[in-house]
Every structure is written in structure tokens, then in C-alpha cells.
Amino acid sequence: MDRLGDLLRQALESGANRIDGVSFGLRDPDKSEAALQVAATRDARSRAEALAEAVGAKLGPLCTLSTAANTPYRPALEMARAAPMAAKGRRVPLEAGTIQMSSEVSATFAVAQ
């Protein structure tokens, strides 16, 4: 990562006239998505148990469960916005970013008195 700015500078000095951005992703996004779905499902059950308890009922068996992953794209690195062009031989300025993932589940449980 420390060498990325220098690498981009070399590309510009070798004739590139435009670099729109550099982005990174997860090596195994399916594994991360699965872990998020498990956590969301556990959270749904916990919330359903609390609601059932609040009305004096007990949570029954699961009736339906559906999942929907939501993975908004956020580049891990991007060119510094409105940064002046780096002088020849100087590193291209970069700004750190993030990769964010989330997951939603919808669960329906039976309740018993």
C-alpha cells in the first residue's frame, strides 16, 4: 500500500493521462455475507423473543425466513478529491476509504400463550 502512490506516479509519467480511481474488494465476499446473514438471523430471533415476552407470550417455531444481502460499493482507496497534481516524481495523493457490508433478514415466528 505504501508503494501505490509511487506506482500511480510512474503510470502517469509513462503516458497515462487519466486515473479514475483504485478500488479493492474482499477476497471472499460470500463468506462475509454468510456471516452477516447468520448474525442478522440471530438478532431477528432475539428481537422476536423480546417482543413475545413483552406481550406475555412465548416464541414458537420459525414459520418463514428470507434474506437479502445489501453490499453497497465503497472504494477502499480513491484519489484525493480536488488535490492539486503532484509534482513530477512525487507520490500521487490517495485517501483511505472503507468497504461496508450489511445484511437483512425477515423472520416470522409462531407465538404461544
Side-chain angles (χ1 to χ4, degrees), residues 17-69:
N17 57 12
R18 180 178 173 153
I19 299 173
D20 290 324
V22 177
S23 62
F24 297 93
L26 299 172
R27 184 173 301 199
D28 189 354
D30 292 339
K31 182 177 178 181
S32 296
E33 183 178 315
L36 286 171
Q37 287 177 340
V38 168
T41 302
R42 287 182 178 145
D43 183 58
R45 180 172 186 86
S46 175
R47 289 173 186 248
E49 286 172 341
L51 291 172
E53 184 180 318
V55 296
K58 291 188 180 198
L59 193 64
L62 176 68
C63 298
T64 64
L65 177 66
S66 62
T67 63

Side-chain angles (χ1 to χ4, degrees), residues 93-108:
L94 300 170
E95 239 177 63
T98 59
I99 296 174
Q100 298 178 351
M101 294 183 72
S102 64
S103 184
E104 294 179 22
V105 298
S106 177
T108 305

